[in-house]
Amino acid sequence: MGAPHTDMYAEARAALVAEMAAAGVLDDPAWRAAFAEVPRHLFVPYFFVNGPAGHERLWGEDRDPRRRERWLRGVYSDTPLATRMRGGELVSSSSQPSLMAGMLDELRVRDGHAVLEIGAGTGYNAALLSHRLGDELVTTVDLEPEITESARGHLAAAGHHPAVVTGDGALGCPARAPFDRIIATCALPSVPRAWIAQCRPGARILAPLATGLIALDVRDTAHAEGRFLHTPAYFVPLRGAVGEGPPRHVGGLPRRVLENDLFRFMLALTAGGLDPHEALTLWHREQRPARERFGVTITEDGEWAWLDDPRGPYAWPLPGRGAGA
């Protein structure tokens, strides 16, 4: 593309980075440099928005300059973008950049760390990791061959060549293990044992669970424990994982409670372990606990969520393990 296009993209990217920095999510200079230098538009050549006639596709090669402008504004806005639809349902997306930045910061990577990403998506997150750590230390896995093929192409266009693997993310990637960090960009019913088994002692796992982000510290190949971050997180579910979602039958609960983000988080986290009405009673008794009061423990004997204390009175087994159990 010519210089005018290059300048336009660079200006839009710089504006997004400035917005994120002003919001306090790019304090680490290494991540700020990654977001400033990795061109998001190469990873989102098109995306879908809701329109009067259903989902409308915006793409960078549209002949209509107004639609191209809408595409560019969307690509460099701090919003999630729907990148792949199937039967009217979202199957892949590009996450909100500020959420990505927060997750990458919470991953606490250091030079030399080997990172496994579960959910390749567009490849943008893998590119940011590759910019920070180097291609050879980054592995990204996705179940869908069309997603991994697309991500690999986007990454190559941006000058990055990490390992892009087609496979069940719930099984991790044993051929590339051990890992110092694992980050999932898809929602889980529970944390697969396979991930912990492929981690070095002292590793960190960051994953969306029950509309929150769990940060687990790995003690050894069979034990991990950690708390949720305060951040809400809504991601496309991990394909290939099995397990119960939030309870569907919540009749009799007040609408104002069901619309409360923190209660919905607790409802999802205790699914299968607490009746929804029992969950509501506990939620009121504990004065509407925030996400960071909850945690998860994984041992050889099981996996459970808890409130305040892993050995306290409030603990629930997590729903069925992923396919990598």
mmCIF file of all heavy atoms in Angstrom, residues 137-163:
data_model
loop_
_atom_site.group_PDB
_atom_site.id
_atom_site.type_symbol
_atom_site.label_atom_id
_atom_site.label_comp_id
_atom_site.label_asym_id
_atom_site.label_seq_id
_atom_site.Cartn_x
_atom_site.Cartn_y
_atom_site.Cartn_z
ATOM 1 N N LEU A 137 9.399 -18.297 20.986
ATOM 2 C CA LEU A 137 8.894 -18.596 22.329
ATOM 3 C C LEU A 137 7.370 -18.561 22.418
ATOM 4 O O LEU A 137 6.810 -18.741 23.503
ATOM 5 C CB LEU A 137 9.479 -17.599 23.338
ATOM 6 C CG LEU A 137 10.972 -17.737 23.611
ATOM 7 C CD1 LEU A 137 11.477 -16.595 24.488
ATOM 8 C CD2 LEU A 137 11.279 -19.082 24.271
ATOM 9 N N VAL A 138 6.695 -18.370 21.294
ATOM 10 C CA VAL A 138 5.237 -18.223 21.294
ATOM 11 C C VAL A 138 4.590 -19.356 20.511
ATOM 12 O O VAL A 138 4.993 -19.660 19.384
ATOM 13 C CB VAL A 138 4.818 -16.867 20.701
ATOM 14 C CG1 VAL A 138 3.293 -16.750 20.642
ATOM 15 C CG2 VAL A 138 5.414 -15.727 21.530
ATOM 16 N N THR A 139 3.573 -19.968 21.118
ATOM 17 C CA THR A 139 2.772 -21.010 20.485
ATOM 18 C C THR A 139 1.310 -20.633 20.626
ATOM 19 O O THR A 139 0.866 -20.269 21.722
ATOM 20 C CB THR A 139 2.998 -22.380 21.152
ATOM 21 O OG1 THR A 139 4.386 -22.703 21.121
ATOM 22 C CG2 THR A 139 2.206 -23.475 20.444
ATOM 23 N N THR A 140 0.553 -20.702 19.547
ATOM 24 C CA THR A 140 -0.880 -20.451 19.624
ATOM 25 C C THR A 140 -1.624 -21.633 19.019
ATOM 26 O O THR A 140 -1.214 -22.180 17.985
ATOM 27 C CB THR A 140 -1.270 -19.125 18.936
ATOM 28 O OG1 THR A 140 -2.669 -18.884 19.125
ATOM 29 C CG2 THR A 140 -0.945 -19.120 17.454
ATOM 30 N N VAL A 141 -2.713 -22.043 19.666
ATOM 31 C CA VAL A 141 -3.445 -23.255 19.286
ATOM 32 C C VAL A 141 -4.910 -22.924 19.057
ATOM 33 O O VAL A 141 -5.511 -22.158 19.818
ATOM 34 C CB VAL A 141 -3.339 -24.327 20.389
ATOM 35 C CG1 VAL A 141 -4.149 -25.571 20.023
ATOM 36 C CG2 VAL A 141 -1.891 -24.712 20.638
ATOM 37 N N ASP A 142 -5.494 -23.517 18.018
ATOM 38 C CA ASP A 142 -6.930 -23.400 17.786
ATOM 39 C C ASP A 142 -7.435 -24.682 17.136
ATOM 40 O O ASP A 142 -6.712 -25.333 16.374
ATOM 41 C CB ASP A 142 -7.251 -22.200 16.896
ATOM 42 C CG ASP A 142 -8.682 -21.715 17.104
ATOM 43 O OD1 ASP A 142 -9.628 -22.389 16.636
ATOM 44 O OD2 ASP A 142 -8.857 -20.672 17.773
ATOM 45 N N LEU A 143 -8.686 -25.028 17.428
ATOM 46 C CA LEU A 143 -9.271 -26.266 16.928
ATOM 47 C C LEU A 143 -9.612 -26.187 15.443
ATOM 48 O O LEU A 143 -9.588 -27.194 14.741
ATOM 49 C CB LEU A 143 -10.537 -26.581 17.738
ATOM 50 C CG LEU A 143 -11.234 -27.912 17.472
ATOM 51 C CD1 LEU A 143 -10.319 -29.078 17.821
ATOM 52 C CD2 LEU A 143 -12.538 -27.998 18.269
ATOM 53 N N GLU A 144 -9.938 -24.980 14.962
ATOM 54 C CA GLU A 144 -10.434 -24.815 13.597
ATOM 55 C C GLU A 144 -9.299 -24.575 12.609
ATOM 56 O O GLU A 144 -8.592 -23.558 12.707
ATOM 57 C CB GLU A 144 -11.407 -23.634 13.540
ATOM 58 C CG GLU A 144 -12.630 -23.784 14.423
ATOM 59 C CD GLU A 144 -13.676 -24.682 13.798
ATOM 60 O OE1 GLU A 144 -13.512 -25.048 12.609
ATOM 61 O OE2 GLU A 144 -14.650 -25.018 14.489
ATOM 62 N N PRO A 145 -9.125 -25.476 11.610
ATOM 63 C CA PRO A 145 -8.049 -25.272 10.620
ATOM 64 C C PRO A 145 -8.168 -23.950 9.876
ATOM 65 O O PRO A 145 -7.158 -23.310 9.585
ATOM 66 C CB PRO A 145 -8.225 -26.461 9.662
ATOM 67 C CG PRO A 145 -8.932 -27.502 10.472
ATOM 68 C CD PRO A 145 -9.833 -26.750 11.400
ATOM 69 N N GLU A 146 -9.390 -23.502 9.578
ATOM 70 C CA GLU A 146 -9.531 -22.243 8.844
ATOM 71 C C GLU A 146 -9.084 -21.054 9.695
ATOM 72 O O GLU A 146 -8.571 -20.057 9.168
ATOM 73 C CB GLU A 146 -10.971 -22.052 8.367
ATOM 74 C CG GLU A 146 -12.005 -22.024 9.473
ATOM 75 C CD GLU A 146 -13.419 -21.938 8.933
ATOM 76 O OE1 GLU A 146 -13.687 -21.020 8.137
ATOM 77 O OE2 GLU A 146 -14.253 -22.783 9.313
ATOM 78 N N ILE A 147 -9.252 -21.156 11.014
ATOM 79 C CA ILE A 147 -8.804 -20.081 11.896
ATOM 80 C C ILE A 147 -7.287 -20.056 11.989
ATOM 81 O O ILE A 147 -6.661 -18.995 11.892
ATOM 82 C CB ILE A 147 -9.448 -20.216 13.285
ATOM 83 C CG1 ILE A 147 -10.951 -19.899 13.197
ATOM 84 C CG2 ILE A 147 -8.775 -19.296 14.302
ATOM 85 C CD1 ILE A 147 -11.693 -20.026 14.511
ATOM 86 N N THR A 148 -6.663 -21.237 12.164
ATOM 87 C CA THR A 148 -5.200 -21.259 12.259
ATOM 88 C C THR A 148 -4.551 -20.858 10.930
ATOM 89 O O THR A 148 -3.541 -20.157 10.921
ATOM 90 C CB THR A 148 -4.685 -22.640 12.702
ATOM 91 O OG1 THR A 148 -5.259 -23.662 11.872
ATOM 92 C CG2 THR A 148 -5.050 -22.914 14.150
ATOM 93 N N GLU A 149 -5.146 -21.266 9.818
ATOM 94 C CA GLU A 149 -4.593 -20.875 8.514
ATOM 95 C C GLU A 149 -4.668 -19.370 8.331
ATOM 96 O O GLU A 149 -3.710 -18.735 7.875
ATOM 97 C CB GLU A 149 -5.359 -21.584 7.399
ATOM 98 C CG GLU A 149 -4.852 -21.249 6.004
ATOM 99 C CD GLU A 149 -5.636 -21.956 4.904
ATOM 100 O OE1 GLU A 149 -6.542 -22.747 5.221
ATOM 101 O OE2 GLU A 149 -5.342 -21.692 3.719
ATOM 102 N N SER A 150 -5.817 -18.790 8.700
ATOM 103 C CA SER A 150 -5.975 -17.342 8.582
ATOM 104 C C SER A 150 -5.019 -16.609 9.513
ATOM 105 O O SER A 150 -4.362 -15.642 9.110
ATOM 106 C CB SER A 150 -7.421 -16.957 8.894
ATOM 107 O OG SER A 150 -7.604 -15.572 8.868
ATOM 108 N N ALA A 151 -4.916 -17.071 10.761
ATOM 109 C CA ALA A 151 -4.017 -16.429 11.725
ATOM 110 C C ALA A 151 -2.577 -16.493 11.258
ATOM 111 O O ALA A 151 -1.826 -15.506 11.365
ATOM 112 C CB ALA A 151 -4.157 -17.102 13.093
ATOM 113 N N ARG A 152 -2.188 -17.635 10.697
ATOM 114 C CA ARG A 152 -0.811 -17.788 10.208
ATOM 115 C C ARG A 152 -0.521 -16.799 9.084
ATOM 116 O O ARG A 152 0.560 -16.187 9.033
ATOM 117 C CB ARG A 152 -0.611 -19.232 9.729
ATOM 118 C CG ARG A 152 0.843 -19.599 9.463
ATOM 119 C CD ARG A 152 0.978 -21.054 9.048
ATOM 120 N NE ARG A 152 0.646 -21.965 10.131
ATOM 121 C CZ ARG A 152 -0.423 -22.766 10.161
ATOM 122 N NH1 ARG A 152 -1.282 -22.743 9.149
ATOM 123 N NH2 ARG A 152 -0.645 -23.568 11.177
ATOM 124 N N GLY A 153 -1.502 -16.600 8.207
ATOM 125 C CA GLY A 153 -1.328 -15.638 7.126
ATOM 126 C C GLY A 153 -1.232 -14.208 7.630
ATOM 127 O O GLY A 153 -0.391 -13.428 7.162
ATOM 128 N N HIS A 154 -2.092 -13.857 8.597
ATOM 129 C CA HIS A 154 -2.035 -12.514 9.172
ATOM 130 C C HIS A 154 -0.692 -12.259 9.846
ATOM 131 O O HIS A 154 -0.095 -11.174 9.703
ATOM 132 C CB HIS A 154 -3.155 -12.331 10.202
ATOM 133 C CG HIS A 154 -4.535 -12.410 9.628
ATOM 134 N ND1 HIS A 154 -5.649 -12.674 10.396
ATOM 135 C CD2 HIS A 154 -4.988 -12.245 8.356
ATOM 136 C CE1 HIS A 154 -6.719 -12.672 9.624
ATOM 137 N NE2 HIS A 154 -6.348 -12.421 8.384
ATOM 138 N N LEU A 155 -0.229 -13.250 10.604
ATOM 139 C CA LEU A 155 1.042 -13.112 11.308
ATOM 140 C C LEU A 155 2.197 -12.926 10.327
ATOM 141 O O LEU A 155 3.070 -12.077 10.527
ATOM 142 C CB LEU A 155 1.283 -14.341 12.192
ATOM 143 C CG LEU A 155 0.479 -14.377 13.482
ATOM 144 C CD1 LEU A 155 0.316 -15.806 13.999
ATOM 145 C CD2 LEU A 155 1.173 -13.520 14.539
ATOM 146 N N ALA A 156 2.198 -13.717 9.266
ATOM 147 C CA ALA A 156 3.266 -13.595 8.270
ATOM 148 C C ALA A 156 3.240 -12.210 7.622
ATOM 149 O O ALA A 156 4.293 -11.613 7.380
ATOM 150 C CB ALA A 156 3.115 -14.692 7.216
ATOM 151 N N ALA A 157 2.043 -11.696 7.354
ATOM 152 C CA ALA A 157 1.937 -10.365 6.750
ATOM 153 C C ALA A 157 2.510 -9.293 7.664
ATOM 154 O O ALA A 157 3.023 -8.276 7.198
ATOM 155 C CB ALA A 157 0.475 -10.054 6.432
ATOM 156 N N ALA A 158 2.430 -9.546 8.984
ATOM 157 C CA ALA A 158 2.972 -8.593 9.957
ATOM 158 C C ALA A 158 4.432 -8.881 10.292
ATOM 159 O O ALA A 158 5.019 -8.192 11.139
ATOM 160 C CB ALA A 158 2.128 -8.615 11.227
ATOM 161 N N GLY A 159 5.006 -9.914 9.667
ATOM 162 C CA GLY A 159 6.418 -10.224 9.880
ATOM 163 C C GLY A 159 6.698 -11.116 11.070
ATOM 164 O O GLY A 159 7.841 -11.162 11.553
ATOM 165 N N HIS A 160 5.691 -11.874 11.531
ATOM 166 C CA HIS A 160 5.890 -12.763 12.682
ATOM 167 C C HIS A 160 5.585 -14.205 12.289
ATOM 168 O O HIS A 160 4.669 -14.475 11.511
ATOM 169 C CB HIS A 160 4.989 -12.344 13.845
ATOM 170 C CG HIS A 160 5.417 -11.060 14.488
ATOM 171 N ND1 HIS A 160 6.589 -10.949 15.211
ATOM 172 C CD2 HIS A 160 4.838 -9.835 14.503
ATOM 173 C CE1 HIS A 160 6.709 -9.703 15.651
ATOM 174 N NE2 HIS A 160 5.670 -9.006 15.230
ATOM 175 N N HIS A 161 6.359 -15.133 12.883
ATOM 176 C CA HIS A 161 6.207 -16.550 12.557
ATOM 177 C C HIS A 161 6.287 -17.418 13.817
ATOM 178 O O HIS A 161 7.155 -18.294 13.921
ATOM 179 C CB HIS A 161 7.263 -16.970 11.541
ATOM 180 C CG HIS A 161 7.208 -16.192 10.262
ATOM 181 N ND1 HIS A 161 6.348 -16.506 9.224
ATOM 182 C CD2 HIS A 161 7.873 -15.062 9.884
ATOM 183 C CE1 HIS A 161 6.500 -15.622 8.249
ATOM 184 N NE2 HIS A 161 7.419 -14.744 8.615
ATOM 185 N N PRO A 162 5.384 -17.215 14.782
ATOM 186 C CA PRO A 162 5.344 -18.121 15.935
ATOM 187 C C PRO A 162 4.769 -19.465 15.505
ATOM 188 O O PRO A 162 4.300 -19.627 14.359
ATOM 189 C CB PRO A 162 4.389 -17.399 16.890
ATOM 190 C CG PRO A 162 3.456 -16.657 15.984
ATOM 191 C CD PRO A 162 4.308 -16.204 14.823
ATOM 192 N N ALA A 163 4.774 -20.434 16.402
ATOM 193 C CA ALA A 163 4.177 -21.734 16.101
ATOM 194 C C ALA A 163 2.661 -21.610 16.161
ATOM 195 O O ALA A 163 2.102 -21.240 17.203
ATOM 196 C CB ALA A 163 4.664 -22.781 17.100
#
